[in-house]
Amino acid sequence: QVQLVESGGGLVQAGGSLRLSCTASRSIFSISHMEWHRQAPGKQRELVATITSRGNTNYADSVKGRFTISRDNAKNTLYLQMNSLKPEDTAVYYCYLLGQAYSYTSYDNYWGQGTQVTVSS
């Protein structure tokens, strides 16, 4: 079983920065891609950023130029650097990966428990 643990959330003023981390509880045999999602109160969960196994990245239009997704395979960790934060970035942020825990298992979806990010105006 793979668990994802997020950290780095908190309260920050508009214009500030935060870096989120998501660490897997164990090494994973194969990862297709990893993502950050967020869910604001009363809204649906939305995809924020994606990074593939080759390191290709993609971002939601609302965060392009402000957020950077990266990964450290040696540390089994996914990051989201968030700069120039806005009040509308306030949400619970979740990490996600599609991966194969062992060579003999199928690909499965893994989610973190979420970390709160609050941006004050």
Side-chain angles (χ1 to χ4, degrees):
Q1 183 73 9
V2 177
Q3 292 183 330
L4 302 180
V5 179
E6 296 122 335
S7 61
L11 173 64
V12 64
Q13 288 189 333
S17 298
L18 284 174
R19 188 175 82 154
L20 306 183
S21 299
C22 171
T23 301
S25 57
R26 56 176 297 277
S27 61
I28 299 170
F29 175 74
S30 177
I31 296 176
S32 170
H33 59 277
M34 302 180 75
E35 299 172 346
W36 285 99
H37 295 244
R38 68 185 181 186
Q39 187 167 20
K43 295 187 177 181
Q44 289 189 331
R45 190 174 297 192
E46 64 171 344
L47 175 61
V48 175
T50 302
I51 185 166
T52 69
S53 59
R54 295 186 177 185
N56 297 320
T57 59
N58 196 27
Y59 299 92
D61 288 342
S62 59
V63 306
K64 277 182 183 176
R66 300 188 298 121
F67 290 11
T68 303
I69 188 172
S70 61
R71 58 196 284 184
D72 185 332
N73 293 331
K75 296 182 179 180
N76 298 322
T77 300
L78 176 71
Y79 301 101
L80 185 69
Q81 178 66 44
M82 306 186 295
N83 299 327
S84 302
L85 283 161
K86 304 175 181 180
E88 51 264 43
D89 295 319
T90 295
V92 178
Y93 284 71
Y94 300 89
C95 64
Y96 161 86
L97 73 85
L98 176 66
Q100 192 180 8
Y102 302 94
S103 61
Y104 51 85
T105 59
S106 60
Y107 278 84
D108 206 349
N109 301 299
Y110 298 95
W111 288 92
Q113 83 288 352
T115 185
Q116 177 70 47
V117 171
T118 303
V119 184
S120 63
S121 57

